Amino acid sequence: MPWWLITLTALLVVACTPVQDENHGAGFVAVNQTFWGADHDTPYPFTVDGEISCGIHPEFGPAVYFEPAGFADDSSIGTPLNKAAVESLKQAVMTPNVPYSVKKGADLSEAREVGLKVCDERMRQIWLLRRIGDNKKGIT
């Protein structure tokens, strides 16, 4: 099968894949207290609106973070929401530098799940891009 046909097919699959949440972006999901209750069973776990993001750590796996609105840039380090995020920050000798924004006693299970879905989407995109690149090179 020619590489251009495989590429076209892959792009059509990605383009036609429904997005569960219209707030999904490139590696993050915008979250806020107003709309959280419509899609989740647990109370909104953060003190402010913001973004749940994902970073893929080669050793620890998907690392999920929360960053308050206005702090999502390359120099900010969000609040870790799962063990992989905590371990990756420890390894890099880094600490969160955004205001702590998790409510005391909050259930973070659904927030972690949202972040892990972002990670899954990101990994699927990376895999697809690699496959497209491999097909251009003639690697199957």
Side-chain angles (χ1 to χ4, degrees), residues 46-122:
F46 309 109
T47 58
V48 296
D49 296 343
E51 296 175 351
I52 297 174
S53 63
C54 169
I56 308 295
H57 190 278
E59 184 178 341
F60 305 118
V64 179
Y65 300 90
F66 174 77
E67 295 180 5
F71 286 90
D73 63 33
D74 291 337
S75 64
S76 66
I77 302 168
T79 303
L81 299 182
N82 68 349
K83 187 175 181 176
V86 170
E87 294 302 319
S88 65
L89 289 179
K90 278 183 191 176
Q91 184 183 55
V93 191
M94 300 170 75
T95 56
N97 62 1
V98 297
Y100 192 74
S101 303
V102 176
K103 292 178 182 175
K104 187 175 181 173
D107 179 352
L108 295 174
S109 59
E110 286 190 281
R112 276 191 293 271
E113 287 302 314
V114 168
L116 291 173
K117 286 180 184 178
V118 171
C119 291
D120 288 345
E121 289 175 15
R122 183 177 245 186

